[in-house]
């Protein structure tokens, strides 16, 4: 006789619900949004169906719709005109910068919102790199003061969580110091701790027109073959004052999410990136996969691996498709 029959715990929907170990809730999700300057316009991004770049007025409407669905956290990325880009990414801390205005605009319209920013040079850099470029090289220590100015400008605009995404060494500590010296002790930092040099960022670079003008990002983003290096990055970020650790991308890196969860007491986030979104959308459009079910399974797997928080382009659809905003 069999003593153990695991199927007994799967025999009805109610029992299956009772023994469910992992749940994804809309409160775990951060929705990335793209903003461009202007009025009354939205542009589709062909490699990211259902995601658009909005001018500020339309972005406010989008945020409002999400808030009504219970989705209250957003990470905002700017699409900057080429004419405003330079080597120092100086537009990023210009107080008249439309991105900073939008942040102020969202915060004043929706006091309950949680806003995360992107702290990196690439959307504003004429070189399209995340660091300061000299003779074809990315110079770490010349990048830090630029990140400091950008971070301070974003904190002044009211950002809740800064998201340094460039993988320069020492950036979390540098930014933390600048914030604290200027009285922004309450502004959080979600560090892109283990950000890999990945092919899955392609659609995002289409959205922002931010692809590097030469070379690749392998001298700063991590080698997809490496795992122990993620622990070095995590220890540094923690020591430098990060409030959250992030792994990016998510799906090919579930082991890294798990590793950081096991080795840190900080909340762990995962960025379910543009290429991961695009793949599922494409297969769904072709009728090759059940899109809704695959989306829920994908988010669940990222959470099960150890992510407390997921940055995902699926966030709004998830909020619309789930009852009470969770599964
Ligand atoms: C750059 C940045 C990137 C993403 C977020 N911030 C792209 C890159 O490193 O080239 C990618 C996000 C995505 O693919 O969804 N600072």
């Amino acid at each position: 006789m069999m003593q153990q029959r695991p199927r007994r715990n799967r025999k009805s929907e109610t029992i299956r619900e009772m023994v469910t170990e992992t749940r994804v809730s809309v409160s775990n999700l951060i929705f990335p949004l793209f903003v461009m300057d202007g009025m009354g316009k939205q542009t589709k991004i062909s490699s990211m169906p259902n995601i658009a770049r909005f001018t500020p007025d339309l972005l406010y409407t989008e945020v409002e719709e999400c808030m009504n669905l219970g989705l209250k956290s957003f990470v905002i990325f700017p699409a900057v005109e080429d004419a405003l880009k330079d080597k120092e990414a100086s537009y990023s801390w210009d107080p008249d910068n439309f991105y900073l205005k939008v942040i102020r605009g969202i915060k004043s319209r929706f006091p309950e919102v949680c806003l995360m920013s992107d702290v990196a040079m690439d959307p504003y850099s004429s070189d399209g790199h995340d660091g300061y470029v000299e003779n074809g090289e990315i110079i770490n220590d010349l990048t830090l003061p630029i990140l400091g100015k950008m971070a301070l400008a974003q904190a002044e605009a009211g950002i809740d969580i800064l998201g340094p995404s460039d993988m320069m060494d020492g950036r979390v500590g540098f930014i933390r110091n600048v914030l604290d010296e200027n009285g922004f002790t309450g502004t959080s930092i979600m560090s892109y701790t283990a950000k890999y040099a990945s092919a899955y960022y392609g659609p995002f670079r289409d959205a922002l027109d931010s692809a590097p003008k030469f070379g690749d990002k392998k001298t700063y983003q991590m080698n997809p073959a490496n795992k122990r290096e993620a622990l070095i990055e995590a220890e540094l970020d923690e020591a430098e004052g990060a409030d959250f650790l992030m792994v990016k991308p998510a799906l090919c890196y579930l082991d890294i999410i798990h590793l950081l969860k096991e080795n840190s007491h900080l909340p762990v986030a995962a960025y379910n990136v543009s290429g991961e979104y695009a793949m599922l959308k494409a297969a769904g459009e072709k009728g090759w996969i059940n899109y809704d079910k695959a989306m829920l399974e994908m988010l669940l797997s990222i959470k099960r691996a150890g992510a407390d928080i997921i940055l995902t382009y699926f966030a709004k659809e998830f909020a619309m498709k789930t009852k009470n905003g969770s599964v």
Side-chain angles (χ1 to χ4, degrees):
M1 285 295 286
M2 262 188 278
Q3 295 303 309
Q4 290 288 344
R5 287 182 180 269
R7 287 186 55 197
R8 281 196 287 263
N9 283 352
R10 300 175 205 141
K11 72 183 167 192
S12 71
E13 181 64 26
T14 305
I15 291 183
R16 288 194 293 273
E17 277 283 313
M18 191 187 285
V19 299
T20 293
E21 296 173 31
T22 307
R23 289 181 197 279
V24 178
S25 153
V26 74
S27 59
N28 304 126
L29 305 182
I30 301 180
F31 189 31
L33 293 170
F34 300 113
V35 61
M36 60 184 180
D37 206 1
M39 264 281 283
K41 274 203 213 125
Q42 70 177 78
T43 346
K44 289 193 170 133
I45 303 156
S46 58
S47 49
M48 300 183 75
N50 259 359
I51 300 286
R53 279 190 299 248
F54 297 104
T55 52
D57 52 329
L58 299 185
L59 192 79
Y60 299 143
T61 313
E62 177 73 1
V63 170
E64 186 169 16
E65 277 178 36
C66 293
M67 298 286 287
N68 291 337
L69 294 166
L71 175 58
K72 296 179 186 163
S73 300
F74 306 90
V75 53
I76 318 282
F77 294 99
V80 178
E81 284 170 52
D82 276 346
L84 295 170
K85 297 183 184 181
D86 61 22
K87 282 195 85 60
E88 287 83 28
S90 59
Y91 186 64
S92 67
W93 67 86
D94 178 342
D96 290 330
N97 166 333
F98 76 90
Y99 179 69
L100 300 173
K101 281 191 206 154
V102 166
I103 290 166
R104 289 192 196 95
I106 300 174
K107 289 294 287 184
S108 65
R109 283 170 178 77
F110 310 101
E112 272 180 70
V113 82
C114 171
L115 278 195
M116 177 171 162
S117 66
D118 186 46
V119 186
M121 289 179 65
D122 56 326
Y124 313 92
S125 152
S126 44
D127 294 302
H129 272 287
D130 294 27
Y132 185 81
V133 177
E134 214 170 60
N135 303 322
E137 260 186 61
I138 317 300
I139 314 292
N140 195 92
D141 296 11
L142 293 181
T143 306
L144 299 180
I146 295 173
L147 297 176
K149 282 189 256 189
M150 195 185 306
L152 185 58
Q154 294 176 355
E156 280 166 349
I159 278 291
D160 299 284
I161 306 176
L162 295 166
S165 66
D166 58 292
M167 294 302 283
M168 294 300 128
D169 293 332
R171 75 219 196 274
V172 172
F174 192 95
I175 292 171
R176 186 71 268 160
N177 273 339
V178 170
L179 292 175
D180 293 352
E181 277 167 9
N182 287 279
F184 291 98
T185 52
T187 305
S188 314
I189 299 179
M190 181 183 290
S191 177
Y192 286 60
T193 297
K195 177 174 180 180
Y196 287 87
S198 170
Y200 290 89
Y201 308 148
F204 175 95
R205 293 179 191 169
D206 295 343
L208 295 191
D209 187 22
S210 65
K213 296 287 185 287
F214 68 89
D216 53 38
K217 298 193 174 187
K218 289 182 186 170
T219 68
Y220 43 106
Q221 298 181 349
M222 282 177 54
N223 176 352
N226 291 357
K227 187 167 173 174
R228 281 176 313 196
E229 209 178 330
L231 288 176
I232 299 178
E233 291 286 0
E235 279 165 19
L236 287 170
D237 284 352
E238 208 165 327
E240 290 174 31
D243 301 287
F244 309 81
L245 304 179
M246 190 211 291
V247 175
K248 178 182 174 185
L251 291 180
C252 292
Y253 301 88
L254 294 176
D255 56 334
I256 309 298
I257 296 172
H258 181 72
L259 185 71
L260 295 202
K261 188 52 175 278
E262 298 280 290
N263 285 282
S264 171
H265 295 152
L266 292 177
V268 174
Y271 200 139
N272 181 207
V273 299
S274 57
E276 299 171 333
Y277 175 81
M279 283 194 306
L280 195 52
K281 275 280 178 214
E285 279 176 7
K286 282 186 175 286
W288 289 353
I289 202 163
N290 181 323
Y291 174 83
D292 286 355
K293 287 186 179 160
M295 171 183 85
L296 296 180
E297 190 174 332
M298 197 186 264
L299 294 174
L300 204 54
S301 74
I302 298 169
K303 187 97 191 280
R304 194 191 61 237
D308 303 286
I309 302 155
I310 308 173
L311 294 89
T312 180
Y313 302 96
F314 295 117
K316 190 179 178 191
E317 283 180 282
F318 176 92
M320 290 190 304
K321 284 174 183 167
T322 51
K323 275 182 268 144
N324 314 317
S326 68
V327 279

